[in-house]
Amino acid sequence: EPEVTQTPSHQVTQMGQEVILRCVPISNHLYFYWYRQILGQKVEFLVSFYNNEISEKSEIFDDQFSVERPDGSNFTLKIRSTKLEDSAMYFCASSEALWAGEAFFGQGTRLTVV
Amino acid sequence: AQRVTQPEKLLSVFKGAPVELKCNYSYSGSPELFWYVQYSRQRLQLLLRHISRESIKGFTADLNKGETSFHLKKPFAQEEDSAMYYCALRKTMGAGNMLTFGGGTRLMVKP
């Protein structure tokens, strides 16, 4: 069964450094998402991406965040200058259709900012 | 703005006992509701959605618009049901199709 793949599984970075989290969505999917979950808190939506542009973003997704689909397979989340409060599990998801499609999630990247 | 509430962080039952995981929502329109499950060390995966009205692994959930609830039920819990369960809502009005999650309930099924 096809899966969404995320790398790395765990990333430790120093405050102020840039990080790039990588995702390979399911190949025939058209809609891509990033969510995050701070330890002990809810899974929160960050951004959705379709047709090479952001279709929706939350208040969390400020100027420090950016997303890109650099080639036909990867979908990346960049945090420009990490803060301690960016420490969280980051989930990538993809779906085939907009309204009827199930969102398939990756296994997550645990980001620890020290 | 939409909101999903799961009032129980932890639910512990014995094998064979009935299970009900509660989910309440607030949304001004007619929502699309889902239950996702995360087994230990695995990814979030869809368990069921209200529009399909199906039973998966013995679980069912009925949307009650009057009570704005979408509780997940199973008549006889199994040990392999132990996992984290998340209720999620997707808007059906306006732009965007992102999911709004509840805080999750950890279900522990004891032998």
Side-chain angles (χ1 to χ4, degrees):
Chain A
E1 189 176 319
E3 290 183 335
V4 175
T5 306
Q6 290 184 243
T7 53
S9 56
H10 190 189
Q11 171 110 33
V12 181
T13 188
Q14 288 204 322
M15 194 167 53
Q17 295 295 304
E18 174 184 285
V19 293
I20 297 176
L21 309 182
R22 301 180 195 282
C23 169
V24 179
I26 294 172
S27 61
N28 64 333
H29 285 187
L30 302 175
Y31 299 87
F32 315 116
Y33 316 86
W34 284 101
Y35 291 81
R36 80 171 186 191
Q37 186 176 30
I38 295 171
L39 189 63
Q41 298 186 25
K42 294 185 176 188
V43 177
E44 302 172 290
F45 168 76
L46 292 178
V47 65
S48 60
F49 192 86
Y50 168 70
N51 200 26
N52 280 320
E53 58 183 29
I54 290 173
S55 49
E56 190 173 18
K57 60 183 181 179
S58 71
E59 291 175 354
I60 303 167
F61 194 86
D62 62 21
D63 292 344
Q64 292 299 311
F65 292 88
S66 62
V67 289
E68 197 177 32
R69 190 154 159 83
D71 52 43
S73 60
N74 289 285
F75 178 51
T76 61
L77 174 70
K78 183 193 289 187
I79 309 175
R80 210 177 326 274
S81 176
T82 49
K83 308 185 196 70
L84 294 175
E85 53 265 37
D86 293 327
S87 295
M89 184 73 96
Y90 287 81
F91 296 105
C92 174
S94 68
S95 64
E96 188 176 3
L98 179 61
W99 293 110
E102 169 189 347
F104 288 81
F105 282 79
Q107 77 278 25
T109 292
R110 180 167 297 285
L111 176 65
T112 303
V113 182
V114 296
Chain B
Q2 64 276 10
R3 187 179 175 88
V4 178
T5 303
Q6 293 177 250
E8 302 138 329
K9 284 191 184 294
L10 173 66
L11 185 62
S12 182
V13 301
F14 284 101
K15 178 182 168 181
V19 168
E20 183 179 50
L21 300 167
K22 291 185 167 46
C23 172
N24 290 91
Y25 68 89
S26 64
Y27 177 56
S28 54
S30 186
E32 201 176 348
L33 285 153
F34 304 82
W35 277 98
Y36 276 81
V37 61
Q38 188 174 31
Y39 299 103
S40 180
R41 300 179 190 278
Q42 294 187 29
R43 65 192 65 212
L44 274 165
Q45 53 188 282
L46 181 67
L47 181 62
L48 51 80
R49 70 187 85 181
H50 90 270
I51 57 171
S52 54
R53 300 186 65 82
E54 55 193 346
S55 173
I56 304 290
K57 300 185 179 184
F59 285 97
T60 59
D62 290 316
L63 177 59
N64 185 323
K65 291 186 179 180
E67 295 183 0
T68 60
S69 68
F70 188 56
H71 302 328
L72 183 68
K73 300 178 185 180
K74 185 169 182 177
F76 308 104
Q78 303 300 313
E79 288 181 69
E80 54 266 30
D81 296 329
S82 296
M84 197 74 184
Y85 291 80
Y86 295 94
C87 182
L89 177 152
R90 185 161 66 191
K91 298 184 296 185
T92 55
M93 291 190 312
N97 62 333
M98 90 288 192
L99 294 167
T100 299
F101 285 88
T105 298
R106 180 169 299 282
L107 174 64
M108 289 179 54
V109 182
K110 297 177 284 189

